[in-house]
């Protein structure tokens, strides 16, 4: 009897940063390697990481300017060297850093003559300026330069829309892309059919995050996209036009806390991530978008707070409840308040 030898892979993938530099406040560079990879794996990872870095990473940008004194986008104001259109283009280039979602208000209010730069922005505490020397306008006379701004966090490129705009409101094309560019290359080594590969990944960012942070974020986003495939297929999904849709009775997750606390087993809420709850991809992405990462984050939200989230409906709420009851989470609380 001939016993066939089975080759078992005991390789351990390792990555490291081989080059890192800061060319300017708005241009960071990093070069990373991942090895050892089997033949063909480097190409798969390289393509996926490049798309995730360029398309899935989120950024913060100025999306709107407001001033009732400005008649239209292409007007000029006495005492300001730039046209309003040029000022809006300069505001579009401002690089900001923030982890909060939703619309946030900011403003600029300065009296000339003088230079108006990013350091003159009046921002909420949660927003930081990456480069406060970025140019906005030049005031050649003692005029008041006051405009309101809106700041948002999202991903990709959003072209401005002019529908249903009120007077004095000027939308700005928003570039929510902290990764400026990324490339990958592959190097093979070894003999014959046992060749292995090394993946080289280059990342350039706009300074709102480092290349290493971008690499971690893109990897996390890819993992999040594939997690639903690890769960069993979702059945009996309810859609908006479903005639048999069941309306939920009003409740809050705080009430559910009281029932779950009666169980004897103890589980640390912070250590249970929503990745483990077998959520549909739609529900999962809605929660992640609003910084709900753990079971603790979820259960401390009220029904009203969840229903205010974009694209979140009663079917999602019922789905979450069914999962919690099915998993029979046992929860205890420390003495300190949540």
């Amino acid at each position: 009897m001939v016993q066939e030898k089975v080759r078992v892979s005991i390789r351990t993938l390792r990555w490291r940063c081989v080059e890192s530099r800061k060319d300017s406040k708005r241009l960071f560079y990093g070069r990373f390697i991942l090895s050892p990879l089997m033949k063909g794996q480097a190409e798969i990872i390289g393509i996926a990481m490049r798309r995730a870095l360029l398309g899935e990473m989120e950024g913060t940008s100025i999306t709107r300017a407001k001033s009732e004194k400005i008649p239209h986008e292409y007007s000029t104001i006495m005492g300001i060297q730039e046209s309003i259109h040029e000022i809006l283009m300069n505001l579009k280039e401002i690089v900001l850093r923030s982890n909060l979602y939703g619309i946030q208000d900011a403003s600029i209010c300065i009296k000339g003559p003088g230079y108006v730069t990013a350091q003159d922005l009046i921002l909420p505490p949660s927003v930081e300026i990456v480069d406060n020397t970025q140019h906005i306008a030049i005031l050649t006379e003692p005029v008041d330069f006051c405009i309101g701004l809106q700041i948002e966090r999202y991903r990709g490129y959003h072209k401005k829309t002019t529908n249903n705009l009120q007077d004095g409101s000027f939308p700005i094309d928003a570039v929510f892309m902290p990764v400026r560019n990324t490339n990958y290359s592959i190097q093979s080594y070894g003999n014959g059919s046992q060749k292995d590969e090394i993946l080289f990944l280059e990342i350039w960012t706009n300074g709102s995050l480092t290349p290493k942070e971008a690499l971690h974020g893109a990897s996390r986003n890819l993992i999040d996209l594939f997690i639903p495939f690890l769960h069993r297929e979702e059945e009996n999904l309810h859609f908006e036009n479903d005639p048999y849709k069941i309306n939920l009775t009003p409740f809050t997750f705080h009430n559910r806390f009281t029932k779950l606390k009666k169980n004897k087993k103890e589980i640390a809420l912070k250590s249970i991530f929503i990745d483990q709850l077998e959520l549909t991809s739609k529900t999962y992405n809605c929660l992640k978008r609003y910084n709900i990462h753990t079971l603790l984050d979820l259960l401390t939200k009220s029904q009203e707070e969840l229903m205010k989230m974009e694209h979140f409906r009663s079917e999602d709420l019922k789905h979450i409840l069914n999962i919690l009851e099915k998993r029979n989470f046992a929860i205890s609380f420390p003495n300190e308040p949540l």
Side-chain angles (χ1 to χ4, degrees), residues 71-104:
H72 56 81
E73 179 180 344
Y74 297 97
S75 61
T76 58
I77 298 178
M78 186 69 66
I80 301 179
Q81 181 171 305
E82 292 83 359
S83 67
I84 299 303
H85 177 74
E86 290 173 323
I87 293 174
L88 294 178
M89 292 301 98
N90 292 337
L91 290 172
K92 173 183 174 181
E93 298 296 325
I94 301 295
V95 180
L96 302 172
R97 182 192 295 114
S98 175
N99 291 322
L100 295 183
Y101 292 91
I103 298 176
Q104 302 180 72

Side-chain angles (χ1 to χ4, degrees), residues 133-152:
T133 65
Q134 285 187 263
H135 176 74
I136 297 177
I138 299 177
L139 309 182
T140 58
E141 297 181 14
V143 295
D144 291 325
F145 181 74
C146 292
I147 57 174
L149 303 171
Q150 284 186 354
I151 297 173
E152 296 182 54

Side-chain angles (χ1 to χ4, degrees), residues 25-28 58-60 95-98 130 177-179 205-210 213:
K25 290 183 178 180
R26 286 176 282 147
L27 184 59
F28 290 10
E58 297 180 336
T60 303
V95 180
L96 302 172
R97 182 192 295 114
S98 175
V130 171
M177 301 170 66
V179 177
T205 69
N206 65 358
S208 63
L209 76 173
T210 66
E213 290 172 335

Side-chain angles (χ1 to χ4, degrees), residues 320-338:
I320 293 173
L321 278 177
N322 291 336
I323 289 176
L324 291 177
E325 292 177 349
K326 188 184 301 182
R327 298 287 291 270
N328 191 26
F329 282 112
I331 301 172
S332 65
F333 299 93
N335 294 328
E336 68 271 18
L338 295 175

